[in-house]
Structure formats: structure tokens, C-alpha cells
Amino acid sequence: MRKNKFLNAKNLSFYFWGVNDSSNSSNITLLNNQTVNVSGTTNSSLFYYNFSNNGNYTWSCSASNVLNQTYNSSNKSIVYDITKPDIIRIFPPNGYSVTGKQTVAFKFNVSEQTNCSVTINNDNNYVEAYSNKTNIFTKELGVGNYQWYLNCSDLAGNPINTSNYSLEIKPIPISSGSSGGGSGSSNYSPKAIVAPKKTIKEINSSSLS
């Protein structure tokens, strides 16, 4: 079993295999002082342990043969966790709306390290979330109505889901300004063009030419 194994199962099984020759036998002891006899090279044994409280557990085994030769394994760590994580400070909130196609940032915080899925209109997007920061997933969305929610589980497999949140991307309004070239009425009324009057000097000059 690897170090830092997370689990939420109350009953845990430990397997051991004999590694000595057929002429010797070994006594193997687990963390709760259970002892069994394992002999030969193919024999194996099984331990059971019941966890009662959340927490970190360290375990190892010690083996000794009839010659009083002893082997102690290295310590392994187990995290027993049956508590669901919390999801807090979610953005955007339910009923959120913006105008125009854009990239939307989905933000959330969690109480512990989790694996999450940001589901937007049945499209699953996976995020590895951490408790020491605001987790952000961004997605470009076009005009329309969307439903989204979070589905997370911690390292021990304890699940947590949020309710559905609605999100609306509204179209950009079309400008209502007037357009040229139309046949509509206008306040403009053209003025009559009046030719300038010629002076007496100008008339005499033109008659001489």
C-alpha cells in the first residue's frame, strides 16, 4: 500500500505474502498487534482493521522467523476520511446575466483538495481544486441561456454537489439612431435661391462690352 492513501471505507483489508523458503515460517504483526503465521514462498495472510474516527493512521508490519531473524517494514500512511467537502463562495450567482458573447469565469472555493467537474448545459469540464486559493475555470459562451453546477469529490471519494445555477448571455442591443436616404418626413425646408441684384455700375459696364 502506498504512502498517504486516502479512503472512506471503514473496514480495510491488508494482504501479506511469505518470502522465505519452505523450511522456515514467519510471524507477521500489524499495527494493531494482530499476529499470524506465514510459511513458505506462496503462502499469504489477510488482516482486517476497523476505523472508528477520521484521521491519519500509520501502519507497518514486523516479521520474524524461527531463527529469531526480524524484518520491520517502513511506515505507511492512511488517511481515513468520511467527511464531505464544502463548496463555498460560488460565482457567478444564480440568475446572473451579461451582454454579448464573452469569456465567463466560474469561480469557487473548497474546504479541502477535491476533483471537480464544472458542468455547463451537460458539458463536463474537469478541474483539480485546492483549499488555499480561489479556483477558476473559464469558458467562452455565446448568446443564450445556460444551466451550470459543480460536482466534486475529495481524495477519499466523498462527493458533494451544488444546485443548478442559471446564467444568461443577452444579445447586444441594436442602435436606434436614424438612417439616411429614407422617405420619412424631415424638418429641413430648403430656402429659395435669389440671384444678386446688379448695381448701376455693373449694368453700364456690361453694356459697353
Side-chain angles (χ1 to χ4, degrees), residues 83-88 90 108-119 125-130 135 148-162:
T83 303
K84 291 184 177 182
D86 291 324
I87 303 175
I88 50 181
I90 298 175
F108 61 97
N109 294 77
V110 292
S111 60
E112 59 181 294
Q113 184 177 348
T114 59
N115 296 312
C116 293
S117 173
V118 182
T119 302
N125 306 276
Y126 295 98
V127 178
E128 191 171 285
Y130 297 88
N135 303 279
W148 74 279
Y149 65 92
L150 289 169
N151 179 11
C152 301
S153 60
D154 62 19
L155 299 182
N158 299 302
I160 185 70
N161 301 323
T162 68

PDB file of all heavy atoms in Angstrom, residues 83-88 90 108-119 125-130 135 148-162:
ATOM      1  N   THR A  83     -15.807  12.558   5.804  1.00  0.00           N
ATOM      2  CA  THR A  83     -16.469  13.862   5.839  1.00  0.00           C
ATOM      3  C   THR A  83     -16.522  14.466   4.447  1.00  0.00           C
ATOM      4  O   THR A  83     -15.494  14.554   3.765  1.00  0.00           O
ATOM      5  CB  THR A  83     -15.736  14.826   6.784  1.00  0.00           C
ATOM      6  OG1 THR A  83     -15.666  14.251   8.093  1.00  0.00           O
ATOM      7  CG2 THR A  83     -16.447  16.165   6.851  1.00  0.00           C
ATOM      8  N   LYS A  84     -17.706  14.892   4.028  1.00  0.00           N
ATOM      9  CA  LYS A  84     -17.851  15.514   2.711  1.00  0.00           C
ATOM     10  C   LYS A  84     -17.194  16.888   2.700  1.00  0.00           C
ATOM     11  O   LYS A  84     -17.242  17.617   3.690  1.00  0.00           O
ATOM     12  CB  LYS A  84     -19.326  15.646   2.339  1.00  0.00           C
ATOM     13  CG  LYS A  84     -20.028  14.331   2.072  1.00  0.00           C
ATOM     14  CD  LYS A  84     -21.461  14.565   1.611  1.00  0.00           C
ATOM     15  CE  LYS A  84     -22.139  13.246   1.283  1.00  0.00           C
ATOM     16  NZ  LYS A  84     -23.529  13.448   0.789  1.00  0.00           N
ATOM     17  N   PRO A  85     -16.598  17.266   1.580  1.00  0.00           N
ATOM     18  CA  PRO A  85     -16.011  18.610   1.485  1.00  0.00           C
ATOM     19  C   PRO A  85     -17.108  19.663   1.366  1.00  0.00           C
ATOM     20  O   PRO A  85     -18.270  19.350   1.095  1.00  0.00           O
ATOM     21  CB  PRO A  85     -15.168  18.530   0.205  1.00  0.00           C
ATOM     22  CG  PRO A  85     -15.850  17.484  -0.621  1.00  0.00           C
ATOM     23  CD  PRO A  85     -16.399  16.480   0.351  1.00  0.00           C
ATOM     24  N   ASP A  86     -16.734  20.922   1.573  1.00  0.00           N
ATOM     25  CA  ASP A  86     -17.653  22.043   1.409  1.00  0.00           C
ATOM     26  C   ASP A  86     -17.251  22.857   0.180  1.00  0.00           C
ATOM     27  O   ASP A  86     -16.063  23.018  -0.112  1.00  0.00           O
ATOM     28  CB  ASP A  86     -17.641  22.953   2.636  1.00  0.00           C
ATOM     29  CG  ASP A  86     -18.261  22.297   3.854  1.00  0.00           C
ATOM     30  OD1 ASP A  86     -19.232  21.538   3.672  1.00  0.00           O
ATOM     31  OD2 ASP A  86     -17.770  22.537   4.978  1.00  0.00           O
ATOM     32  N   ILE A  87     -18.264  23.372  -0.530  1.00  0.00           N
ATOM     33  CA  ILE A  87     -18.050  24.302  -1.637  1.00  0.00           C
ATOM     34  C   ILE A  87     -18.633  25.641  -1.222  1.00  0.00           C
ATOM     35  O   ILE A  87     -19.801  25.731  -0.852  1.00  0.00           O
ATOM     36  CB  ILE A  87     -18.726  23.811  -2.928  1.00  0.00           C
ATOM     37  CG1 ILE A  87     -18.205  22.421  -3.304  1.00  0.00           C
ATOM     38  CG2 ILE A  87     -18.484  24.787  -4.068  1.00  0.00           C
ATOM     39  CD1 ILE A  87     -18.903  21.819  -4.510  1.00  0.00           C
ATOM     40  N   ILE A  88     -17.814  26.682  -1.263  1.00  0.00           N
ATOM     41  CA  ILE A  88     -18.237  27.994  -0.781  1.00  0.00           C
ATOM     42  C   ILE A  88     -17.862  29.084  -1.778  1.00  0.00           C
ATOM     43  O   ILE A  88     -17.025  28.883  -2.655  1.00  0.00           O
ATOM     44  CB  ILE A  88     -17.588  28.301   0.589  1.00  0.00           C
ATOM     45  CG1 ILE A  88     -16.079  28.042   0.524  1.00  0.00           C
ATOM     46  CG2 ILE A  88     -18.212  27.472   1.694  1.00  0.00           C
ATOM     47  CD1 ILE A  88     -15.344  28.291   1.814  1.00  0.00           C
ATOM     48  N   ILE A  90     -19.418  30.838  -4.477  1.00  0.00           N
ATOM     49  CA  ILE A  90     -19.558  30.459  -5.891  1.00  0.00           C
ATOM     50  C   ILE A  90     -19.888  31.683  -6.738  1.00  0.00           C
ATOM     51  O   ILE A  90     -20.705  32.520  -6.359  1.00  0.00           O
ATOM     52  CB  ILE A  90     -20.660  29.393  -6.041  1.00  0.00           C
ATOM     53  CG1 ILE A  90     -20.278  28.132  -5.257  1.00  0.00           C
ATOM     54  CG2 ILE A  90     -20.902  29.059  -7.505  1.00  0.00           C
ATOM     55  CD1 ILE A  90     -21.365  27.081  -5.243  1.00  0.00           C
ATOM     56  N   PHE A 108     -14.858  29.361  -7.549  1.00  0.00           N
ATOM     57  CA  PHE A 108     -15.375  28.704  -6.349  1.00  0.00           C
ATOM     58  C   PHE A 108     -14.229  28.363  -5.413  1.00  0.00           C
ATOM     59  O   PHE A 108     -13.075  28.259  -5.821  1.00  0.00           O
ATOM     60  CB  PHE A 108     -16.165  27.441  -6.709  1.00  0.00           C
ATOM     61  CG  PHE A 108     -15.361  26.391  -7.419  1.00  0.00           C
ATOM     62  CD1 PHE A 108     -14.806  25.323  -6.717  1.00  0.00           C
ATOM     63  CD2 PHE A 108     -15.147  26.451  -8.788  1.00  0.00           C
ATOM     64  CE1 PHE A 108     -14.067  24.349  -7.367  1.00  0.00           C
ATOM     65  CE2 PHE A 108     -14.418  25.482  -9.447  1.00  0.00           C
ATOM     66  CZ  PHE A 108     -13.871  24.434  -8.739  1.00  0.00           C
ATOM     67  N   ASN A 109     -14.577  28.201  -4.137  1.00  0.00           N
ATOM     68  CA  ASN A 109     -13.616  27.786  -3.121  1.00  0.00           C
ATOM     69  C   ASN A 109     -14.093  26.482  -2.488  1.00  0.00           C
ATOM     70  O   ASN A 109     -15.295  26.243  -2.378  1.00  0.00           O
ATOM     71  CB  ASN A 109     -13.475  28.857  -2.038  1.00  0.00           C
ATOM     72  CG  ASN A 109     -12.852  30.133  -2.565  1.00  0.00           C
ATOM     73  OD1 ASN A 109     -13.514  30.917  -3.236  1.00  0.00           O
ATOM     74  ND2 ASN A 109     -11.595  30.348  -2.276  1.00  0.00           N
ATOM     75  N   VAL A 110     -13.152  25.663  -2.066  1.00  0.00           N
ATOM     76  CA  VAL A 110     -13.462  24.380  -1.433  1.00  0.00           C
ATOM     77  C   VAL A 110     -12.729  24.278  -0.103  1.00  0.00           C
ATOM     78  O   VAL A 110     -11.736  24.966   0.134  1.00  0.00           O
ATOM     79  CB  VAL A 110     -13.078  23.196  -2.348  1.00  0.00           C
ATOM     80  CG1 VAL A 110     -13.975  23.145  -3.574  1.00  0.00           C
ATOM     81  CG2 VAL A 110     -11.609  23.284  -2.766  1.00  0.00           C
ATOM     82  N   SER A 111     -13.244  23.410   0.761  1.00  0.00           N
ATOM     83  CA  SER A 111     -12.676  23.265   2.095  1.00  0.00           C
ATOM     84  C   SER A 111     -11.450  22.355   2.135  1.00  0.00           C
ATOM     85  O   SER A 111     -10.704  22.359   3.113  1.00  0.00           O
ATOM     86  CB  SER A 111     -13.738  22.724   3.055  1.00  0.00           C
ATOM     87  OG  SER A 111     -14.212  21.456   2.608  1.00  0.00           O
ATOM     88  N   GLU A 112     -11.242  21.564   1.086  1.00  0.00           N
ATOM     89  CA  GLU A 112     -10.091  20.661   1.008  1.00  0.00           C
ATOM     90  C   GLU A 112      -9.829  20.331  -0.458  1.00  0.00           C
ATOM     91  O   GLU A 112     -10.612  20.678  -1.332  1.00  0.00           O
ATOM     92  CB  GLU A 112     -10.354  19.379   1.802  1.00  0.00           C
ATOM     93  CG  GLU A 112     -11.577  18.605   1.330  1.00  0.00           C
ATOM     94  CD  GLU A 112     -11.825  17.359   2.161  1.00  0.00           C
ATOM     95  OE1 GLU A 112     -10.971  16.440   2.096  1.00  0.00           O
ATOM     96  OE2 GLU A 112     -12.849  17.292   2.868  1.00  0.00           O
ATOM     97  N   GLN A 113      -8.723  19.684  -0.724  1.00  0.00           N
ATOM     98  CA  GLN A 113      -8.390  19.341  -2.102  1.00  0.00           C
ATOM     99  C   GLN A 113      -9.445  18.406  -2.680  1.00  0.00           C
ATOM    100  O   GLN A 113      -9.798  17.395  -2.076  1.00  0.00           O
ATOM    101  CB  GLN A 113      -7.014  18.682  -2.189  1.00  0.00           C
ATOM    102  CG  GLN A 113      -6.573  18.380  -3.615  1.00  0.00           C
ATOM    103  CD  GLN A 113      -5.177  17.799  -3.688  1.00  0.00           C
ATOM    104  OE1 GLN A 113      -4.428  17.819  -2.708  1.00  0.00           O
ATOM    105  NE2 GLN A 113      -4.814  17.278  -4.846  1.00  0.00           N
ATOM    106  N   THR A 114      -9.950  18.764  -3.853  1.00  0.00           N
ATOM    107  CA  THR A 114     -11.010  17.986  -4.482  1.00  0.00           C
ATOM    108  C   THR A 114     -10.788  17.893  -5.982  1.00  0.00           C
ATOM    109  O   THR A 114     -10.055  18.685  -6.578  1.00  0.00           O
ATOM    110  CB  THR A 114     -12.393  18.619  -4.243  1.00  0.00           C
ATOM    111  OG1 THR A 114     -12.393  19.953  -4.767  1.00  0.00           O
ATOM    112  CG2 THR A 114     -12.753  18.667  -2.774  1.00  0.00           C
ATOM    113  N   ASN A 115     -11.446  16.923  -6.579  1.00  0.00           N
ATOM    114  CA  ASN A 115     -11.548  16.825  -8.030  1.00  0.00           C
ATOM    115  C   ASN A 115     -12.967  17.222  -8.407  1.00  0.00           C
ATOM    116  O   ASN A 115     -13.926  16.607  -7.931  1.00  0.00           O
ATOM    117  CB  ASN A 115     -11.230  15.406  -8.504  1.00  0.00           C
ATOM    118  CG  ASN A 115      -9.797  15.009  -8.214  1.00  0.00           C
ATOM    119  OD1 ASN A 115      -8.863  15.758  -8.497  1.00  0.00           O
ATOM    120  ND2 ASN A 115      -9.607  13.842  -7.618  1.00  0.00           N
ATOM    121  N   CYS A 116     -13.096  18.253  -9.241  1.00  0.00           N
ATOM    122  CA  CYS A 116     -14.413  18.825  -9.529  1.00  0.00           C
ATOM    123  C   CYS A 116     -14.716  18.782 -11.017  1.00  0.00           C
ATOM    124  O   CYS A 116     -13.811  18.730 -11.864  1.00  0.00           O
ATOM    125  CB  CYS A 116     -14.484  20.275  -9.051  1.00  0.00           C
ATOM    126  SG  CYS A 116     -14.402  20.463  -7.261  1.00  0.00           S
ATOM    127  N   SER A 117     -16.000  18.817 -11.303  1.00  0.00           N
ATOM    128  CA  SER A 117     -16.497  18.944 -12.664  1.00  0.00           C
ATOM    129  C   SER A 117     -17.415  20.160 -12.711  1.00  0.00           C
ATOM    130  O   SER A 117     -18.380  20.233 -11.951  1.00  0.00           O
ATOM    131  CB  SER A 117     -17.254  17.691 -13.102  1.00  0.00           C
ATOM    132  OG  SER A 117     -17.870  17.897 -14.356  1.00  0.00           O
ATOM    133  N   VAL A 118     -17.077  21.130 -13.572  1.00  0.00           N
ATOM    134  CA  VAL A 118     -17.947  22.276 -13.820  1.00  0.00           C
ATOM    135  C   VAL A 118     -18.812  21.903 -15.024  1.00  0.00           C
ATOM    136  O   VAL A 118     -18.339  21.839 -16.153  1.00  0.00           O
ATOM    137  CB  VAL A 118     -17.138  23.554 -14.110  1.00  0.00           C
ATOM    138  CG1 VAL A 118     -18.064  24.746 -14.315  1.00  0.00           C
ATOM    139  CG2 VAL A 118     -16.152  23.831 -12.980  1.00  0.00           C
ATOM    140  N   THR A 119     -20.082  21.613 -14.768  1.00  0.00           N
ATOM    141  CA  THR A 119     -20.983  21.148 -15.822  1.00  0.00           C
ATOM    142  C   THR A 119     -21.832  22.312 -16.308  1.00  0.00           C
ATOM    143  O   THR A 119     -22.583  22.907 -15.537  1.00  0.00           O
ATOM    144  CB  THR A 119     -21.879  20.011 -15.319  1.00  0.00           C
ATOM    145  OG1 THR A 119     -21.055  18.935 -14.857  1.00  0.00           O
ATOM    146  CG2 THR A 119     -22.791  19.501 -16.429  1.00  0.00           C
ATOM    147  N   ASN A 125     -16.544  19.748 -17.507  1.00  0.00           N
ATOM    148  CA  ASN A 125     -15.200  20.321 -17.586  1.00  0.00           C
ATOM    149  C   ASN A 125     -14.496  20.065 -16.254  1.00  0.00           C
ATOM    150  O   ASN A 125     -14.954  20.531 -15.212  1.00  0.00           O
ATOM    151  CB  ASN A 125     -15.282  21.820 -17.864  1.00  0.00           C
ATOM    152  CG  ASN A 125     -16.117  22.150 -19.094  1.00  0.00           C
ATOM    153  OD1 ASN A 125     -15.630  22.121 -20.209  1.00  0.00           O
ATOM    154  ND2 ASN A 125     -17.395  22.450 -18.882  1.00  0.00           N
ATOM    155  N   TYR A 126     -13.399  19.310 -16.270  1.00  0.00           N
ATOM    156  CA  TYR A 126     -12.777  18.836 -15.044  1.00  0.00           C
ATOM    157  C   TYR A 126     -11.729  19.815 -14.525  1.00  0.00           C
ATOM    158  O   TYR A 126     -10.928  20.360 -15.290  1.00  0.00           O
ATOM    159  CB  TYR A 126     -12.164  17.454 -15.272  1.00  0.00           C
ATOM    160  CG  TYR A 126     -13.218  16.417 -15.582  1.00  0.00           C
ATOM    161  CD1 TYR A 126     -13.499  16.050 -16.894  1.00  0.00           C
ATOM    162  CD2 TYR A 126     -13.965  15.842 -14.552  1.00  0.00           C
ATOM    163  CE1 TYR A 126     -14.498  15.128 -17.175  1.00  0.00           C
ATOM    164  CE2 TYR A 126     -14.959  14.916 -14.826  1.00  0.00           C
ATOM    165  CZ  TYR A 126     -15.214  14.558 -16.140  1.00  0.00           C
ATOM    166  OH  TYR A 126     -16.208  13.658 -16.421  1.00  0.00           O
ATOM    167  N   VAL A 127     -11.765  20.017 -13.200  1.00  0.00           N
ATOM    168  CA  VAL A 127     -10.869  20.961 -12.532  1.00  0.00           C
ATOM    169  C   VAL A 127     -10.327  20.305 -11.272  1.00  0.00           C
ATOM    170  O   VAL A 127     -11.085  19.714 -10.492  1.00  0.00           O
ATOM    171  CB  VAL A 127     -11.606  22.265 -12.158  1.00  0.00           C
ATOM    172  CG1 VAL A 127     -10.667  23.222 -11.430  1.00  0.00           C
ATOM    173  CG2 VAL A 127     -12.198  22.929 -13.389  1.00  0.00           C
ATOM    174  N   GLU A 128      -9.021  20.405 -11.052  1.00  0.00           N
ATOM    175  CA  GLU A 128      -8.420  19.979  -9.789  1.00  0.00           C
ATOM    176  C   GLU A 128      -8.419  21.186  -8.865  1.00  0.00           C
ATOM    177  O   GLU A 128      -7.743  22.177  -9.140  1.00  0.00           O
ATOM    178  CB  GLU A 128      -7.006  19.444 -10.018  1.00  0.00           C
ATOM    179  CG  GLU A 128      -6.414  18.744  -8.801  1.00  0.00           C
ATOM    180  CD  GLU A 128      -5.110  18.043  -9.116  1.00  0.00           C
ATOM    181  OE1 GLU A 128      -5.155  16.968  -9.754  1.00  0.00           O
ATOM    182  OE2 GLU A 128      -4.058  18.587  -8.737  1.00  0.00           O
ATOM    183  N   ALA A 129      -9.186  21.135  -7.781  1.00  0.00           N
ATOM    184  CA  ALA A 129      -9.403  22.301  -6.923  1.00  0.00           C
ATOM    185  C   ALA A 129      -8.651  22.156  -5.608  1.00  0.00           C
ATOM    186  O   ALA A 129      -8.490  21.049  -5.080  1.00  0.00           O
ATOM    187  CB  ALA A 129     -10.893  22.479  -6.667  1.00  0.00           C
ATOM    188  N   TYR A 130      -8.216  23.308  -5.068  1.00  0.00           N
ATOM    189  CA  TYR A 130      -7.442  23.335  -3.829  1.00  0.00           C
ATOM    190  C   TYR A 130      -8.089  24.293  -2.835  1.00  0.00           C
ATOM    191  O   TYR A 130      -8.772  25.244  -3.217  1.00  0.00           O
ATOM    192  CB  TYR A 130      -5.996  23.747  -4.103  1.00  0.00           C
ATOM    193  CG  TYR A 130      -5.265  22.775  -4.993  1.00  0.00           C
ATOM    194  CD1 TYR A 130      -5.306  22.915  -6.377  1.00  0.00           C
ATOM    195  CD2 TYR A 130      -4.548  21.713  -4.457  1.00  0.00           C
ATOM    196  CE1 TYR A 130      -4.637  22.016  -7.201  1.00  0.00           C
ATOM    197  CE2 TYR A 130      -3.881  20.810  -5.268  1.00  0.00           C
ATOM    198  CZ  TYR A 130      -3.929  20.967  -6.641  1.00  0.00           C
ATOM    199  OH  TYR A 130      -3.285  20.077  -7.452  1.00  0.00           O
ATOM    200  N   ASN A 135     -10.481  28.839  -7.003  1.00  0.00           N
ATOM    201  CA  ASN A 135     -10.343  28.014  -8.196  1.00  0.00           C
ATOM    202  C   ASN A 135     -11.172  28.622  -9.323  1.00  0.00           C
ATOM    203  O   ASN A 135     -12.332  28.993  -9.121  1.00  0.00           O
ATOM    204  CB  ASN A 135     -10.787  26.590  -7.895  1.00  0.00           C
ATOM    205  CG  ASN A 135     -10.002  25.976  -6.750  1.00  0.00           C
ATOM    206  OD1 ASN A 135      -8.905  25.495  -6.921  1.00  0.00           O
ATOM    207  ND2 ASN A 135     -10.585  26.016  -5.544  1.00  0.00           N
ATOM    208  N   TRP A 148     -25.730  25.627 -14.984  1.00  0.00           N
ATOM    209  CA  TRP A 148     -24.434  25.062 -14.610  1.00  0.00           C
ATOM    210  C   TRP A 148     -24.438  24.672 -13.125  1.00  0.00           C
ATOM    211  O   TRP A 148     -25.217  25.189 -12.326  1.00  0.00           O
ATOM    212  CB  TRP A 148     -23.301  26.037 -14.919  1.00  0.00           C
ATOM    213  CG  TRP A 148     -23.186  27.209 -13.986  1.00  0.00           C
ATOM    214  CD1 TRP A 148     -23.912  28.360 -14.017  1.00  0.00           C
ATOM    215  CD2 TRP A 148     -22.282  27.327 -12.881  1.00  0.00           C
ATOM    216  NE1 TRP A 148     -23.527  29.191 -13.009  1.00  0.00           N
ATOM    217  CE2 TRP A 148     -22.523  28.593 -12.285  1.00  0.00           C
ATOM    218  CE3 TRP A 148     -21.299  26.505 -12.342  1.00  0.00           C
ATOM    219  CZ2 TRP A 148     -21.816  29.037 -11.191  1.00  0.00           C
ATOM    220  CZ3 TRP A 148     -20.582  26.950 -11.240  1.00  0.00           C
ATOM    221  CH2 TRP A 148     -20.840  28.203 -10.674  1.00  0.00           C
ATOM    222  N   TYR A 149     -23.565  23.716 -12.782  1.00  0.00           N
ATOM    223  CA  TYR A 149     -23.435  23.288 -11.391  1.00  0.00           C
ATOM    224  C   TYR A 149     -22.066  22.651 -11.195  1.00  0.00           C
ATOM    225  O   TYR A 149     -21.339  22.355 -12.169  1.00  0.00           O
ATOM    226  CB  TYR A 149     -24.541  22.305 -11.005  1.00  0.00           C
ATOM    227  CG  TYR A 149     -24.506  20.979 -11.726  1.00  0.00           C
ATOM    228  CD1 TYR A 149     -23.829  19.880 -11.190  1.00  0.00           C
ATOM    229  CD2 TYR A 149     -25.149  20.814 -12.952  1.00  0.00           C
ATOM    230  CE1 TYR A 149     -23.802  18.667 -11.852  1.00  0.00           C
ATOM    231  CE2 TYR A 149     -25.119  19.613 -13.617  1.00  0.00           C
ATOM    232  CZ  TYR A 149     -24.445  18.536 -13.068  1.00  0.00           C
ATOM    233  OH  TYR A 149     -24.412  17.338 -13.736  1.00  0.00           O
ATOM    234  N   LEU A 150     -21.702  22.437  -9.934  1.00  0.00           N
ATOM    235  CA  LEU A 150     -20.433  21.814  -9.571  1.00  0.00           C
ATOM    236  C   LEU A 150     -20.682  20.433  -8.988  1.00  0.00           C
ATOM    237  O   LEU A 150     -21.615  20.231  -8.214  1.00  0.00           O
ATOM    238  CB  LEU A 150     -19.689  22.670  -8.542  1.00  0.00           C
ATOM    239  CG  LEU A 150     -19.095  23.989  -9.026  1.00  0.00           C
ATOM    240  CD1 LEU A 150     -18.646  24.819  -7.830  1.00  0.00           C
ATOM    241  CD2 LEU A 150     -17.934  23.750  -9.974  1.00  0.00           C
ATOM    242  N   ASN A 151     -19.825  19.493  -9.352  1.00  0.00           N
ATOM    243  CA  ASN A 151     -19.855  18.134  -8.806  1.00  0.00           C
ATOM    244  C   ASN A 151     -18.428  17.796  -8.390  1.00  0.00           C
ATOM    245  O   ASN A 151     -17.549  17.683  -9.244  1.00  0.00           O
ATOM    246  CB  ASN A 151     -20.369  17.155  -9.862  1.00  0.00           C
ATOM    247  CG  ASN A 151     -20.407  15.734  -9.350  1.00  0.00           C
ATOM    248  OD1 ASN A 151     -20.239  15.483  -8.155  1.00  0.00           O
ATOM    249  ND2 ASN A 151     -20.598  14.782 -10.248  1.00  0.00           N
ATOM    250  N   CYS A 152     -18.188  17.659  -7.089  1.00  0.00           N
ATOM    251  CA  CYS A 152     -16.824  17.472  -6.584  1.00  0.00           C
ATOM    252  C   CYS A 152     -16.739  16.249  -5.675  1.00  0.00           C
ATOM    253  O   CYS A 152     -17.738  15.803  -5.113  1.00  0.00           O
ATOM    254  CB  CYS A 152     -16.366  18.708  -5.802  1.00  0.00           C
ATOM    255  SG  CYS A 152     -16.357  20.255  -6.727  1.00  0.00           S
ATOM    256  N   SER A 153     -15.536  15.732  -5.519  1.00  0.00           N
ATOM    257  CA  SER A 153     -15.264  14.673  -4.545  1.00  0.00           C
ATOM    258  C   SER A 153     -13.850  14.870  -4.020  1.00  0.00           C
ATOM    259  O   SER A 153     -12.947  15.261  -4.765  1.00  0.00           O
ATOM    260  CB  SER A 153     -15.426  13.282  -5.171  1.00  0.00           C
ATOM    261  OG  SER A 153     -14.531  13.109  -6.249  1.00  0.00           O
ATOM    262  N   ASP A 154     -13.660  14.598  -2.728  1.00  0.00           N
ATOM    263  CA  ASP A 154     -12.328  14.758  -2.150  1.00  0.00           C
ATOM    264  C   ASP A 154     -11.456  13.552  -2.455  1.00  0.00           C
ATOM    265  O   ASP A 154     -11.874  12.623  -3.175  1.00  0.00           O
ATOM    266  CB  ASP A 154     -12.417  15.040  -0.649  1.00  0.00           C
ATOM    267  CG  ASP A 154     -13.061  13.900   0.132  1.00  0.00           C
ATOM    268  OD1 ASP A 154     -13.117  12.768  -0.392  1.00  0.00           O
ATOM    269  OD2 ASP A 154     -13.508  14.132   1.275  1.00  0.00           O
ATOM    270  N   LEU A 155     -10.239  13.538  -1.924  1.00  0.00           N
ATOM    271  CA  LEU A 155      -9.286  12.472  -2.256  1.00  0.00           C
ATOM    272  C   LEU A 155      -9.717  11.109  -1.744  1.00  0.00           C
ATOM    273  O   LEU A 155      -9.248  10.083  -2.233  1.00  0.00           O
ATOM    274  CB  LEU A 155      -7.896  12.829  -1.708  1.00  0.00           C
ATOM    275  CG  LEU A 155      -7.274  14.107  -2.271  1.00  0.00           C
ATOM    276  CD1 LEU A 155      -5.893  14.334  -1.686  1.00  0.00           C
ATOM    277  CD2 LEU A 155      -7.197  14.052  -3.797  1.00  0.00           C
ATOM    278  N   ALA A 156     -10.638  11.088  -0.764  1.00  0.00           N
ATOM    279  CA  ALA A 156     -11.153   9.817  -0.263  1.00  0.00           C
ATOM    280  C   ALA A 156     -12.404   9.375  -1.004  1.00  0.00           C
ATOM    281  O   ALA A 156     -12.931   8.299  -0.738  1.00  0.00           O
ATOM    282  CB  ALA A 156     -11.445   9.924   1.237  1.00  0.00           C
ATOM    283  N   GLY A 157     -12.881  10.212  -1.932  1.00  0.00           N
ATOM    284  CA  GLY A 157     -14.052   9.846  -2.725  1.00  0.00           C
ATOM    285  C   GLY A 157     -15.375  10.336  -2.168  1.00  0.00           C
ATOM    286  O   GLY A 157     -16.431   9.956  -2.679  1.00  0.00           O
ATOM    287  N   ASN A 158     -15.352  11.190  -1.132  1.00  0.00           N
ATOM    288  CA  ASN A 158     -16.601  11.728  -0.584  1.00  0.00           C
ATOM    289  C   ASN A 158     -17.153  12.794  -1.530  1.00  0.00           C
ATOM    290  O   ASN A 158     -16.463  13.773  -1.836  1.00  0.00           O
ATOM    291  CB  ASN A 158     -16.353  12.339   0.795  1.00  0.00           C
ATOM    292  CG  ASN A 158     -15.847  11.317   1.793  1.00  0.00           C
ATOM    293  OD1 ASN A 158     -16.495  10.310   2.044  1.00  0.00           O
ATOM    294  ND2 ASN A 158     -14.673  11.566   2.351  1.00  0.00           N
ATOM    295  N   PRO A 159     -18.411  12.646  -2.008  1.00  0.00           N
ATOM    296  CA  PRO A 159     -18.936  13.552  -3.034  1.00  0.00           C
ATOM    297  C   PRO A 159     -19.708  14.742  -2.451  1.00  0.00           C
ATOM    298  O   PRO A 159     -20.230  14.683  -1.341  1.00  0.00           O
ATOM    299  CB  PRO A 159     -19.885  12.646  -3.825  1.00  0.00           C
ATOM    300  CG  PRO A 159     -20.410  11.705  -2.778  1.00  0.00           C
ATOM    301  CD  PRO A 159     -19.294  11.494  -1.781  1.00  0.00           C
ATOM    302  N   ILE A 160     -19.764  15.819  -3.228  1.00  0.00           N
ATOM    303  CA  ILE A 160     -20.592  16.974  -2.904  1.00  0.00           C
ATOM    304  C   ILE A 160     -21.031  17.624  -4.212  1.00  0.00           C
ATOM    305  O   ILE A 160     -20.238  17.729  -5.157  1.00  0.00           O
ATOM    306  CB  ILE A 160     -19.833  17.989  -2.009  1.00  0.00           C
ATOM    307  CG1 ILE A 160     -20.751  19.133  -1.582  1.00  0.00           C
ATOM    308  CG2 ILE A 160     -18.602  18.522  -2.714  1.00  0.00           C
ATOM    309  CD1 ILE A 160     -21.820  18.749  -0.615  1.00  0.00           C
ATOM    310  N   ASN A 161     -22.302  18.005  -4.298  1.00  0.00           N
ATOM    311  CA  ASN A 161     -22.844  18.647  -5.495  1.00  0.00           C
ATOM    312  C   ASN A 161     -23.518  19.956  -5.113  1.00  0.00           C
ATOM    313  O   ASN A 161     -24.039  20.100  -4.009  1.00  0.00           O
ATOM    314  CB  ASN A 161     -23.885  17.750  -6.192  1.00  0.00           C
ATOM    315  CG  ASN A 161     -23.314  16.424  -6.613  1.00  0.00           C
ATOM    316  OD1 ASN A 161     -22.175  16.331  -7.039  1.00  0.00           O
ATOM    317  ND2 ASN A 161     -24.109  15.378  -6.468  1.00  0.00           N
ATOM    318  N   THR A 162     -23.527  20.903  -6.036  1.00  0.00           N
ATOM    319  CA  THR A 162     -24.286  22.128  -5.826  1.00  0.00           C
ATOM    320  C   THR A 162     -25.618  22.020  -6.561  1.00  0.00           C
ATOM    321  O   THR A 162     -25.827  21.112  -7.371  1.00  0.00           O
ATOM    322  CB  THR A 162     -23.529  23.351  -6.361  1.00  0.00           C
ATOM    323  OG1 THR A 162     -23.450  23.281  -7.797  1.00  0.00           O
ATOM    324  CG2 THR A 162     -22.131  23.431  -5.781  1.00  0.00           C
TER     325      THR A 162
END
